[in-house]
Amino acid sequence: MQDNLVIVESPAKAKTIEKFLGKDYKVMSSYGHIRDLKKKEISIDMDTLEPEYEIPEEKRKLVSDLKINAQKAKKVWLASDEDREGEAISWHLCEVLGLDEANTNRIVFHEITKNAILEAIENPRHLDMNLANAQQARRMLDRLVGFNLSPVLWRKVKPSLSAGRVQSVAVRLIVEREREIQAYKSEPYFRIAAVFALGDSEIRAELSKRFATHEEALAFLEECKDASYTIASIQKKPLKRTPAPPFTTSTLQQEAARKLGFTVSQTMMVAQRLYESGHITYMRTDSVNLSKLCIGTAKSVVTELYGKDYSNSRNYTTHSKGAQEAHEAIRPTYMDKQEIEGSLQERRLYDLIWKRTVATQMADAELEKTTVEIVLNGMSSEGVCFIATGEVVKFDGFLKVYRESDGDDDNSQNAEYGQAMLPSDMKEGMALVRKEIVATERYSQGPLRYTEASLVHKLEELGIGRPSTYAPTISTIQQREYVLKGDKKGEERSYTIDTLDGDKITTKTKSELTGNEKGKLLPTDIGIVVNDFLMEFFPGIMDYNFTANVEEQFDAIAEGKENWHTMLKEFYKKFAPTVESTIKSRSEHKAGERVLGDDPKSGKPVSVKIGRYGPVVQIGSADDKDKPLFAQLPKEFSIETITLEEALELFRLPRTLGNYEGAAVTIGTGRFGPYVLHNRKYVSLPKDIDPMKITFEEAVCLVENSRRAEQQRHLKTFEEEPKLEIMNGRYGPYLVYDGKNYRLPKAMHEKAAELSLEECMEVINKAKA
């Protein structure tokens, strides 16, 4: 009989823990949850709101193995993660394996180190049903919302759509930001920057005022010709910069996105591997607290690497709304371990975590900021002066190791005259020599689209979701194609630069690309229509405060202050009637439909809407005698912004270019984009060929190339029934027989085209056997 059975949720974690426990302990993995709500049913008793769990088919063998080992063991230790999800996994294990909760040891740890594991074994606890119930409440509420809203969307918007509580609110944020950007009107203004000489040194400064028009800017430059310039004041101010707190889940996701270019889900996947290998503490946390052991070790590491002056031990307090459980921040498990072995991604993320944690235990950076005010003598403009600023690092402190990203606003227009070194011999009252003064036309900048990192920041700020939900939420809205992560093409824009050099003002016009954004979250047409529909009929579900309040209710359940059944019943009592009334409601137009005008040829209405396979343009209506005409909306258009002229242009297809081999060559467009149709065979048009400009010769060439490629795929055909073919595929030759594919052994690849019928049948019969 086995003395001890320890059950964790991942095999990697099991492997690491096994190293620290002796031969009396067997460590097994549950591979996450061993049971869940059924996939294709609501799986909730709608009278009692009790969940109906099942063990999925793929987990039954594992559950059987766990049961056998649990029965053999004298003691069972449940060691899933210490959060709501982990507690629920342990509870499900108790239920399914028939374990006695009173005699089952629940152990938890924030890091997978020998000391932490042994300490947990010495201090076991019982299951915390408050935590498990908070997880059950979240799972069931999301199931109630998803399973009730999705059929409404199928009927009213488009089949196969789905909705989720947190995901829908995340889509709302992205749609609203897109509309803010579309509504924003950029206004021009003029910034004035100057370069002055003081002996052999230069001082760069910017005017304290900005001008609204070109005329005002030119008038100011004219006045500058005869002005003299004096240093009116020099102010030196000591500054201290304090290190940012240690990483929480959300700040790690944001910094890894900015500094390493990781997606949110990629960060979590790599962090999970680091945790399970014993390199970092638990990666789902909203605490910035560090253990005394970590602070003590970090002190000796900082002193040893950088000297005593750089050490400054400090602890941070968590202020985030609804911070969960008594977790630590994300930090290295061994502070003296500056580097680890692992994949490049693991090493890079670990380096970021190590530097951030070490920086928190280092001295403040000491800087001196100098502000110089330069007045213009002999001018009518009162209160206007040039300002020059400079920063000197007196003591780098934590900056020696780590600098926090400034955010993801990479479109700053203030980079031309940043803070620079200023001459040390400056004195008040000194006269300066004007070298040049430049007036540059700039434009007010509207809101920026969300990146994955800035969306996480916004969700956290609004109190929506918790550390474990950010990554799956952002992945889900992209998988459902409500949101795409992509690039937004900028537009060419001209701007004016006026330069006063000596007594001459020269004007130049330059062009720049504006609004060019990369890797941003963009709403799709379907995402916009679904958002608008839910906002109209389910405003409560889409309300930011409602979503944040629900999170607070989950927190209250986790703390034992609220009953999870009562919470679910109150929610469903209000939610169910709205679903019922929305399904029964009738509307004149389909959700998301927009009438653009009338077709000048037929006089029929032209509209855009979401069709079965995505956005379409329609000429005519279902009530007409003639069947309406449809055109798939290309990706570069949106149903929100497409014009009548652009929509009608799409109906120039299909166009017939001529006849080839007695059959018409036609250019059309469909669900998968533009194509050439010849003799009932379709050939996709390459992206760089315009379907409106392709010639007959180019189309025939595409047809012939497609034929040749098809011939190269068909190596040999045997006409006996059922027909057998030797095909050439992506991974080498294979057989097609009676509607099924069969691999050819590698030894036959070279002579595949010469194989006999008997040799092929031998391969097929072997495979069947």
Side-chain angles (χ1 to χ4, degrees):
M1 184 180 266
Q2 180 73 46
D3 282 355
N4 296 278
L5 173 67
V6 180
I7 305 175
V8 296
E9 68 273 74
S10 84
K13 191 174 173 183
K15 200 175 170 185
T16 311
I17 288 173
E18 218 158 26
K19 290 188 296 190
F20 303 130
L21 297 170
K23 61 183 186 326
D24 296 336
Y25 289 83
K26 180 172 185 172
V27 185
M28 290 184 75
S29 167
S30 70
Y31 290 80
H33 280 278
I34 56 163
R35 69 173 186 175
D36 197 1
L37 301 174
K38 294 169 190 173
K39 275 187 181 173
K40 294 186 178 176
E41 297 172 29
I42 193 161
S43 206
I44 296 168
D45 184 317
M46 298 313 292
D47 295 324
T48 61
L49 287 185
E50 282 291 335
E52 295 168 354
Y53 292 113
E54 69 163 4
I55 299 165
E57 183 67 40
E58 67 273 12
K59 286 288 178 90
R60 284 178 191 168
K61 165 98 175 52
L62 171 70
V63 168
S64 174
D65 290 346
L66 287 169
K67 265 185 185 172
I68 292 164
N69 281 278
Q71 283 161 6
K72 285 181 188 173
K74 290 178 186 172
K75 261 189 184 180
V76 178
W77 306 77
L78 300 176
S80 50
D81 294 335
E82 192 195 9
D83 57 12
R84 295 167 195 181
E85 208 70 37
E87 208 68 24
I89 288 172
S90 283
W91 173 70
H92 284 299
L93 283 165
C94 263
E95 294 279 302
V96 173
L97 304 182
L99 303 174
D100 180 357
E101 284 182 34
N103 295 324
T104 302
N105 295 291
R106 172 81 173 106
I107 55 169
V108 290
F109 34 81
H110 303 305
E111 59 188 40
I112 303 176
T113 59
K114 190 170 185 176
N115 287 344
I117 306 299
L118 295 178
E119 191 180 323
I121 295 271
E122 283 170 24
N123 299 286
R125 63 167 172 81
H126 291 300
L127 269 178
D128 185 338
M129 282 311 296
N130 291 330
L131 287 182
N133 289 338
Q135 188 275 344
Q136 285 196 89
R138 178 190 286 281
R139 185 82 186 89
M140 286 174 64
L141 183 68
D142 288 346
R143 178 60 66 97
L144 287 169
V145 171
F147 262 68
N148 281 283
L149 280 189
S150 298
V152 179
L153 294 176
W154 302 342
R155 286 196 195 184
K156 302 289 183 179
V157 183
K158 175 181 175 284
S160 304
L161 293 178
S162 55
R165 184 179 57 86
V166 178
Q167 295 95 314
S168 299
V169 175
V171 173
R172 178 187 169 187
L173 279 168
I174 293 162
V175 170
E176 286 181 347
R177 177 59 57 89
E178 193 65 27
R179 285 183 171 149
E180 281 174 41
I181 291 164
Q182 285 170 10
Y184 186 80
K185 295 283 181 280
S186 190
E187 297 289 335
Y189 65 89
F190 285 80
R191 281 176 55 218
I192 312 288
V195 181
F196 299 103
L198 180 65
D200 296 331
S201 304
E202 275 187 357
I203 298 173
R204 292 174 177 268
E206 189 167 335
L207 195 69
S208 57
K209 180 184 176 180
R210 289 177 175 182
F211 297 105
T213 65
H214 191 206
E215 290 71 24
E216 287 176 318
L218 281 174
F220 178 78
L221 291 182
E222 283 292 343
E223 280 197 83
C224 286
K225 285 181 182 178
D226 302 321
S228 61
Y229 305 89
T230 312
I231 295 175
S233 68
I234 301 170
Q235 284 186 330
K236 291 191 177 184
K237 192 178 176 184
L239 290 177
K240 279 196 175 183
R241 202 167 288 168
T242 306
F247 279 133
T248 61
T249 303
S250 108
T251 54
L252 177 66
Q253 288 168 352
Q254 291 169 59
E255 278 290 88
R258 292 169 190 149
K259 288 193 167 179
L260 309 178
F262 285 8
T263 64
V264 167
S265 55
Q266 187 182 8
T267 299
M268 292 313 289
M269 193 173 63
V270 177
Q272 178 102 26
R273 293 203 298 263
L274 290 174
Y275 167 66
E276 289 174 349
S277 305
H279 294 311
I280 63 168
T281 52
Y282 192 51
M283 65 287 150
R284 290 191 184 93
T285 176
D286 37 24
S287 169
V288 290
N289 178 47
L290 292 174
S291 69
K292 286 179 182 175
L293 178 67
C294 167
I295 293 169
T297 321
K299 184 173 185 172
S300 55
V301 168
V302 172
T303 306
E304 189 183 323
L305 290 175
Y306 309 109
K308 200 176 174 183
D309 291 347
Y310 281 88
S311 173
N312 181 12
S313 298
R314 54 168 84 75
N315 208 345
Y316 293 79
T317 313
T318 303
H319 297 294
S320 77
K321 198 177 178 182
Q324 272 185 39
E325 289 90 39
H327 290 160
E328 256 196 276
I330 302 167
R331 61 161 177 85
T333 46
Y334 304 102
M335 290 304 300
D336 53 355
K337 205 173 189 177
Q338 205 166 338
E339 291 175 357
I340 58 154
E341 286 181 15
S343 67
L344 178 62
Q345 288 183 339
E346 287 165 7
R347 294 199 308 273
R348 291 180 75 205
L349 191 65
Y350 180 83
D351 181 64
L352 189 72
I353 294 166
W354 186 87
K355 284 179 174 169
R356 173 84 161 219
T357 312
V358 164
T360 68
Q361 302 307 303
M362 292 179 73
D364 292 346
E366 293 173 18
L367 305 104
E368 185 179 75
K369 185 175 182 178
T370 305
T371 305
V372 180
E373 204 173 277
I374 300 161
V375 292
L376 300 88
N377 307 309
M379 287 189 68
S380 59
S381 306
E382 277 187 32
V384 175
C385 62
F386 281 99
I387 306 285
T389 57
E391 230 174 52
V392 177
V393 177
K394 294 286 188 183
F395 175 64
D396 54 2
F398 75 92
L399 295 176
K400 198 173 193 74
V401 174
Y402 188 86
R403 286 174 191 265
E404 192 183 13
S405 299
D406 294 329
D408 65 340
D409 180 0
D410 51 5
N411 297 318
S412 172
Q413 295 177 334
N414 300 318
E416 291 164 56
Y417 291 95
Q419 293 181 337
M421 292 293 288
L422 294 168
S424 56
D425 54 347
M426 294 182 300
K427 287 187 178 64
E428 288 180 10
M430 275 185 167
L432 300 176
V433 176
R434 164 175 62 82
K435 291 183 81 172
E436 67 171 23
I437 298 179
V438 180
T440 308
E441 187 179 17
R442 296 282 71 178
Y443 290 83
S444 59
Q445 192 175 310
L448 294 167
R449 290 177 177 88
Y450 287 109
T451 59
E452 285 194 1
S454 61
L455 183 62
V456 165
H457 180 72
K458 188 68 179 175
L459 289 169
E460 188 182 38
E461 186 184 282
L462 292 170
I464 296 167
R466 290 293 181 261
S468 59
T469 63
Y470 302 133
T473 296
I474 289 170
S475 296
T476 302
I477 61 176
Q478 291 179 64
Q479 284 160 12
R480 288 181 179 167
E481 295 187 352
Y482 292 157
V483 169
L484 295 173
K485 187 160 77 168
D487 304 338
K488 200 74 179 172
K489 281 185 181 176
E491 294 174 2
E492 282 276 325
R493 176 173 70 189
S494 61
Y495 65 100
T496 308
I497 299 175
D498 300 291
T499 306
L500 170 62
D501 193 352
D503 288 333
K504 193 178 174 189
I505 297 172
T506 54
T507 301
K508 282 183 188 172
T509 302
K510 288 189 175 183
S511 66
E512 63 183 355
L513 195 63
T514 178
N516 189 34
E517 293 186 271
K518 291 192 174 182
K520 295 297 175 82
L521 297 173
L522 312 164
T524 61
D525 279 332
I526 291 172
I528 291 168
V529 171
V530 168
N531 174 74
D532 291 353
F533 178 81
L534 293 176
M535 285 294 290
E536 183 180 349
F537 293 98
F538 297 93
I541 292 287
M542 300 295 282
D543 184 70
Y544 297 135
N545 289 330
F546 163 77
T547 316
N549 291 340
V550 166
E551 294 294 349
E552 287 177 7
Q553 284 180 288
F554 293 149
D555 293 342
I557 293 164
E559 291 161 17
K561 294 174 183 173
E562 190 166 340
N563 181 283
W564 68 292
H565 281 110
T566 308
M567 181 247 182
L568 287 173
K569 282 173 185 169
E570 283 177 5
F571 163 77
Y572 196 65
K573 195 165 68 181
K574 294 174 188 171
F575 178 59
T578 314
V579 174
E580 195 64 31
S581 64
T582 306
I583 279 192
K584 288 177 180 172
S585 70
R586 290 177 176 272
S587 56
E588 202 177 316
H589 290 294
K590 195 172 185 285
E593 187 172 347
R594 191 165 77 89
V595 178
L596 304 178
D598 294 330
D599 174 22
K601 286 183 185 174
S602 64
K604 291 179 180 178
V606 180
S607 58
V608 278
K609 63 182 180 182
I610 301 294
R612 188 174 183 83
Y613 300 112
V616 292
V617 180
Q618 176 179 319
I619 297 180
S621 64
D623 306 330
D624 294 345
K625 286 181 185 176
D626 301 323
K627 197 177 171 186
L629 297 173
F630 294 95
Q632 209 73 26
L633 200 68
K635 281 183 180 174
E636 61 268 24
F637 292 106
S638 164
I639 61 174
E640 285 227 312
T641 55
I642 190 170
T643 63
L644 177 65
E645 291 71 26
E646 288 167 336
L648 291 171
E649 188 72 16
L650 300 173
F651 288 90
R652 284 173 59 194
L653 296 175
R655 51 189 277 256
T656 301
L657 302 181
N659 278 0
Y660 178 62
E661 296 176 342
V665 176
T666 306
I667 307 300
T669 186
R671 187 179 165 195
F672 303 109
Y675 57 79
V676 181
L677 173 61
H678 176 256
N679 210 5
R680 291 187 293 181
K681 296 275 184 187
Y682 292 86
V683 182
S684 289
L685 246 60
K687 284 181 181 176
D688 56 345
I689 293 183
D690 186 339
M692 306 309 299
K693 293 178 183 173
I694 186 172
T695 63
F696 174 73
E697 290 74 18
E698 286 172 328
V700 168
C701 184
L702 288 172
V703 169
E704 288 291 349
N705 289 344
S706 175
R707 273 185 197 171
R708 276 193 291 276
E710 190 62 22
Q711 282 165 2
Q712 285 166 5
R713 282 186 69 234
H714 296 262
L715 297 177
K716 194 173 186 178
T717 304
F718 299 95
E719 294 302 334
E720 287 81 354
E721 286 297 328
K723 192 165 80 171
L724 189 153
E725 278 193 288
I726 304 171
M727 303 284 285
N728 198 6
R730 198 172 155 194
Y731 303 108
Y734 63 97
L735 305 176
V736 179
Y737 178 71
D738 200 15
K740 288 184 179 176
N741 296 348
Y742 298 89
R743 280 185 189 173
L744 273 176
K746 278 192 178 174
M748 291 183 166
H749 280 199
E750 277 187 33
K751 295 184 178 179
E754 299 162 25
L755 292 174
S756 66
L757 179 62
E758 289 73 24
E759 287 171 313
C760 292
M761 288 311 298
E762 193 182 330
V763 171
I764 290 165
N765 291 330
K766 266 188 187 176
K768 282 182 177 177

